[in-house]
Amino acid sequence: MIERTLVLLKPDCIADRHCGDVISRFEASGLEIVGCKMMLLANEVLAEHYAHVMDRPFYPELKSFMQSSPVIALALSGENAVALVRDLMGPTDSRKAPKGTIRGDFGKDTMVNVVHGSDSPENAVLELKRFFAERELFEFTAKR
Ligand code: IDP
Ligand code: MG
């Protein structure tokens, strides 16, 4: 099934100049970019996006990490895009992520882990709405 999913390239990805590498992996796996923008995450957006970890002791540090620079938000489209992106990312803790995954190759630890990817098709729909206006998302399959 063709799905869309939300990816965020986190501040460490930008600072370490890994955006190109990460996007290349998504493209090489057959995913297409159907939305893209750089943005500073406002408090409210971040609080919604990370509502499920808001009560955890690490939230203040996560908040300051995620607001330490802009992030790059991507909407990616393709066959099973949600699960495919999660597979390419690897698990949350970069130190436990296998080599060959994005977090395993470029991440530092559990917090500083290069990318966000939606964890279910339902959340992907909600998250895309959170980060993109409808007119900022494109249906296209590029003509080759
Ligand atoms: P995910 O990004 O792999 O889906 P979530 O559990 O949804 O992981 O957590 C959201 C983000 O919160 C993680 O990507 C990471 O940046 C941060 N995080 C999660 N667990 C921890 C932790 O135990 N310590 C520090 N940061 C964490
Ligand atoms: Mg998550």
Side-chain angles (χ1 to χ4, degrees), residues 121-137:
E122 297 73 32
N123 280 337
V125 170
L126 294 174
E127 292 182 352
L128 285 166
K129 272 207 174 70
R130 181 173 303 138
F131 287 90
F132 289 97
E134 203 47 56
R135 67 184 153 72
E136 294 172 324
L137 293 174

Side-chain angles (χ1 to χ4, degrees), residues 48-112:
E48 272 184 34
H49 182 65
Y50 282 145
H52 63 297
V53 293
M54 196 107 200
D55 297 333
R56 304 288 298 278
F58 60 79
Y59 185 76
E61 204 187 329
L62 177 62
K63 179 174 188 292
S64 65
F65 163 58
M66 290 299 292
Q67 293 180 323
S68 63
S69 85
V71 301
I72 293 172
L74 299 170
L76 299 180
S77 172
E79 195 71 38
N80 292 318
V82 174
L84 177 55
V85 164
R86 294 291 295 193
D87 285 348
L88 293 168
M89 284 163 56
T92 311
D93 186 347
S94 306
R95 293 162 300 198
K96 294 191 183 137
K99 287 292 159 204
T101 65
I102 291 167
R103 285 167 164 172
D105 290 345
F106 305 128
K108 180 165 165 258
D109 54 30
T110 315
M111 179 173 300
V112 180

Side-chain angles (χ1 to χ4, degrees), residues 17-37:
R17 314 289 203 267
H18 287 314
C19 299
D21 294 317
V22 171
I23 291 171
S24 286
R25 291 182 186 206
F26 293 139
E27 290 186 327
S29 300
L31 295 163
E32 289 189 292
I33 299 172
V34 293
C36 180
K37 64 170 146 177

